[in-house]
Amino acid sequence: MAFVRSTPIIALILFGIISMASCKSKDEKKIKAPVSGGPQRTAQPTRVEAYLVKPSSVSEKIEVPGNILPYEATELRPEVSGRITQLNIREGQNVGKGTLLVKLYDGDLQAQLQKLKVQLDIYEKTAERLEALLKIDGISKQEYDLSILQVSNVKADIELIRTSIAKTEIRAPFSGRLGLRSVSMGAYITPATLITTIRQENQLKLEFTVPEKYSSKISAGKNVAFTMEGLNKNILARVIATEEAVTEDTRSLRIRAVILGKDPKLIPGAFAKVLLDFGEDKSALMVPSQAVIPQARFKKVIVYRGGNASFETVTTGVRDSTSVQITSGLNVGDTIITTGLLSIKPEGKLEIIKMNQE
């Protein structure tokens, strides 16, 4: 009986011991847990390689595409409609200025011209008789003046007809080489009809464009060299004019030059490689090509400033296989980053592990 009575007491003692152990364990966990709002771990700087910007010597030579053009070229079309009665076009042949190439039917105009010539003869004789009568006061001065007016009117009509007849003749506007003809004898043509083309090829022109940044270095009188496929030498050309403004779409300046000399391989319409030498720049800022980050409208480089990354907009110039010229946006002594560019954020921490001096 004594054992049964002591069982609830033992159970209470065990429950109290377990509760105290549980509370102690929770208190220990609370002590070991980090305090919210305490100091966080500092981000590690990005380890990169860098390059020190310094002046260097570079030759500003560029190669741009160009086209060879005839000195003069035009399409031959009639001024009036009519039927071809003469066709003197020999395709691919050279002709002199003023050579008659095409003659249109002008029978009606010739008839009108003959009629006016007869009228002019009669009016002139009448005016002579009236002049004699005027000297003896046989007629009034007004009657004589009217006869002179008739003579002048007929002469004006004759000149008008002769001008119309001249429009039926298509002549070479300058000495040159004819192209392929597009009409045949007896064809009826209109001012919209292309007869043939003519080109002056005894002297040729060269047309090319240069980037906007070089526009101030090209002027009339400057000599440029060019070459073309199958030509193992350079040919000189002298700049005669430049466009009045830079093209907005391509930001380039169109230039035209006269080719000095003549070579049988130079054919109008051929592609040319224009070689431009703008001299040597001894204070050029050349940086590794991989340091330049191309963007939609600008180009940027990452400059190391006090341990942080600074993204700077730059303008580039000439380039070679490994380097590119910076014309604006950098100064001598700046340190630019050359590796890990994609992982660097603006104002991000940097640690330089290697300074390249190439």
Side-chain angles (χ1 to χ4, degrees):
M1 297 297 294
F3 174 76
V4 174
R5 292 176 182 176
S6 62
T7 298
I9 297 174
I10 295 173
L12 289 175
I13 293 172
L14 291 175
F15 179 79
I17 293 172
I18 293 171
S19 298
M20 291 177 63
S22 176
C23 292
K24 182 178 181 181
S25 177
K26 291 181 179 181
D27 291 340
E28 288 178 353
K29 290 182 179 180
K30 288 182 181 180
I31 294 173
K32 292 180 180 180
V35 180
S36 178
Q40 301 295 323
R41 186 177 180 181
T42 305
Q44 294 297 321
T46 304
R47 296 164 61 85
V48 295
E49 295 182 12
Y51 176 83
L52 182 65
V53 178
K54 57 185 182 295
S56 59
S57 180
V58 62
S59 179
E60 290 191 279
K61 294 181 180 180
I62 63 173
E63 181 180 298
V64 296
N67 293 315
I68 297 177
L69 306 175
Y71 195 81
E72 297 290 350
T74 188
E75 295 179 342
L76 297 180
R77 302 176 187 269
E79 293 187 60
V80 295
S81 300
R83 176 171 52 86
I84 297 177
T85 58
Q86 292 184 43
L87 188 59
N88 304 322
I89 296 177
R90 299 180 61 189
E91 298 172 319
Q93 297 297 311
N94 292 320
V95 295
K97 181 180 180 180
T99 301
L100 178 62
L101 303 176
V102 177
K103 174 66 178 176
L104 303 181
Y105 176 77
D106 64 351
D108 53 343
L109 296 175
Q110 293 290 350
Q112 294 180 39
L113 180 60
Q114 291 302 320
K115 178 181 177 180
L116 291 173
K117 286 182 177 180
V118 172
Q119 291 179 353
L120 177 62
D121 184 58
I122 294 173
Y123 288 150
E124 286 180 338
K125 291 178 179 179
T126 300
E128 291 176 359
R129 290 194 297 268
L130 293 179
E131 183 180 9
L133 291 174
L134 180 62
K135 293 179 180 178
I136 61 175
D137 295 330
I139 60 171
S140 64
K141 183 68 167 57
Q142 182 179 6
E143 290 178 300
Y144 173 72
D145 290 341
L146 289 175
S147 67
I148 295 299
L149 179 61
Q150 286 180 326
V151 172
S152 299
N153 286 338
V154 173
K155 286 182 177 180
D157 290 340
I158 289 176
E159 289 302 317
L160 183 61
I161 293 297
R162 285 175 174 168
T163 301
S164 298
I165 292 174
K167 291 181 179 181
T168 64
E169 300 175 350
I170 295 90
R171 299 180 178 271
F174 48 80
S175 298
R177 184 180 180 184
L178 296 176
L180 302 178
R181 63 181 173 89
S182 305
V183 295
S184 300
M185 183 68 178
Y188 184 86
I189 59 177
T190 69
T193 305
L194 172 63
I195 298 174
T196 187
T197 59
I198 184 172
R199 293 178 174 180
Q200 185 178 350
E201 298 181 353
N202 59 342
Q203 192 170 21
L204 300 174
K205 293 179 181 179
L206 174 68
E207 186 174 284
F208 58 97
T209 60
V210 297
E212 178 184 7
K213 58 190 171 186
Y214 297 115
S215 60
S216 61
K217 297 183 180 182
I218 292 287
S219 60
K222 179 180 177 62
N223 287 343
V224 297
F226 73 94
T227 187
M228 56 181 294
E229 191 70 26
L231 198 63
N232 298 323
K233 62 178 181 179
N234 291 341
I235 298 179
L236 291 180
R238 185 179 66 253
V239 176
I240 57 174
T242 62
E243 195 61 271
E244 74 279 1
V246 172
T247 305
E248 293 184 3
D249 296 337
T250 61
R251 310 309 303 176
S252 59
L253 181 68
R254 192 156 62 110
I255 297 170
R256 189 166 292 176
V258 174
I259 298 175
L260 305 178
K262 176 67 175 175
D263 190 288
K265 294 183 179 180
L266 296 179
I267 303 174
F271 173 81
K273 297 178 182 178
V274 185
L275 313 173
L276 300 175
D277 187 353
F278 297 106
E280 187 177 12
D281 186 358
K282 296 183 179 180
S283 59
L285 302 182
M286 303 296 293
V287 302
S289 300
Q290 68 268 22
V292 180
I293 305 172
Q295 296 187 341
R297 298 183 59 186
F298 307 103
K299 296 177 182 178
K300 292 183 177 291
V301 296
I302 302 175
V303 181
Y304 180 85
R305 300 192 189 281
N308 296 327
S310 176
F311 284 71
E312 303 290 345
T313 301
V314 296
T315 304
T316 59
V318 298
R319 64 175 62 232
D320 55 27
S321 58
T322 60
S323 303
V324 60
Q325 181 188 14
I326 303 298
T327 58
S328 66
L330 287 181
N331 298 312
V332 175
D334 285 343
T335 300
I336 62 173
I337 308 305
T338 58
T339 63
L341 305 181
L342 298 179
S343 61
I344 300 175
K345 298 181 179 180
E347 300 301 324
K349 296 292 183 179
L350 301 176
E351 179 184 350
I352 298 176
I353 60 174
K354 182 180 178 181
M355 181 68 75
N356 297 314
Q357 298 295 331
E358 59 182 46

